[in-house]
Amino acid sequence: ENSGGGDDAVFRVPAPRAPSGGRAPLPRAAQSPPCLRNPFLGSHEQPDETPAHLRANGASAAALATMSRLRADFVDCGIVGRGGFCKVFKVISRLDGSMYAVKRTERKLQTERERREALKEVQAMAGLGNGSGNGHEHVVRYFGCWMEYDHLYIQLELCETTLSSLFCRWIETGGEAGAA
C-alpha cells in the first residue's frame, strides 16, 4: 500500500468496493488523487483527507467523473470569506501540500463581456507580479486561474490575517508605523 516515502507519505483513497446488484464500480476519474503530506508542516497542519467520492453526497458516477479542478487539485478546508462578487476558500494543494486561497465568482459569467471584466483582476494581479516571482510585499501573491462551469477561479496566497484586523491593531497602537 505504501510507496516507500515513509509511513505517512501519502493519504490513501480506499479501494473501490466490488459492484453489487449489477452496478458498475465508480470510474477511476471520480476518485480524488492522493494528497501528499508536506514534510515542512506539523502533523496538526496536515489536511484531513476526505475522498471526493465520499464528499459528493450521493452524486451519480457520471457527475463524479466530471469532478471540478478545485476538488481534483485541492483539499477544501472551508470558506474564509465572502463578498458581493466572490467566495474565498482555504485550500491545500494535493501536489505541494501548501495552503492557498481560491477565489470563485458567485455569479456565473455567461457572456464574453462578463468574462473579460472578471479577467481584468487576474491580468492586473499577474502584471503586479511582473514575472519576478516575489511581487510586492503588500499585494496578495497570484498563482494562477481557471474558468470552470462559467465561474472564474483565482488561486492566491493565503494571508494569515485580514486588512481590517491589521488596521484595527494599527489604530489601537496609535497609528505607529511598525505596529502592523
Side-chain angles (χ1 to χ4, degrees):
E1 180 84 32
N2 195 345
S3 58
D7 54 336
D8 291 334
V10 175
F11 290 102
R12 293 289 175 194
V13 175
R17 288 178 275 156
S20 60
R23 289 182 167 170
L26 290 175
R28 184 80 177 133
Q31 297 177 2
S32 300
C35 183
L36 298 177
R37 288 192 178 268
N38 186 332
F40 301 103
L41 298 176
S43 59
H44 66 284
E45 297 174 292
Q46 301 291 342
D48 293 328
E49 175 60 37
T50 305
H53 64 279
L54 296 178
R55 293 191 303 261
N57 300 327
S60 69
L64 289 169
T66 58
M67 185 187 311
S68 73
R69 178 175 170 189
L70 183 66
R71 283 192 173 186
D73 290 355
F74 301 97
V75 175
D76 185 354
C77 298
I79 295 175
V80 294
R82 175 178 276 148
F85 299 104
C86 294
K87 280 184 190 174
V88 180
F89 301 90
K90 177 180 178 180
V91 300
I92 299 175
S93 169
R94 294 182 187 279
L95 295 175
D96 63 22
S98 295
M99 291 189 182
Y100 297 98
V102 172
K103 199 172 165 180
R104 187 196 85 177
T105 56
E106 283 275 29
R107 289 184 341 105
K108 287 189 173 196
L109 306 173
Q110 295 175 334
T111 68
E112 188 60 33
R113 182 177 175 272
E114 289 174 328
R115 286 189 281 276
R116 273 197 315 269
E117 286 295 316
L119 285 172
K120 282 183 181 179
E121 177 183 1
V122 171
Q123 292 164 341
M125 294 188 80
L128 286 171
N130 204 20
S132 65
N134 295 333
H136 191 278
E137 66 176 309
H138 299 296
V139 176
V140 174
R141 191 166 170 207
Y142 164 78
F143 290 98
C145 71
W146 68 95
M147 292 289 294
E148 185 171 63
Y149 305 116
D150 294 325
H151 289 279
L152 174 65
Y153 292 81
I154 307 172
Q155 183 181 348
L156 304 165
E157 168 186 15
L158 180 66
C159 299
E160 297 175 15
T161 188
T162 65
L163 185 57
S164 176
S165 64
L166 283 176
F167 183 69
C168 289
R169 210 173 327 147
W170 183 75
I171 293 294
E172 289 169 2
T173 60
E176 295 175 22

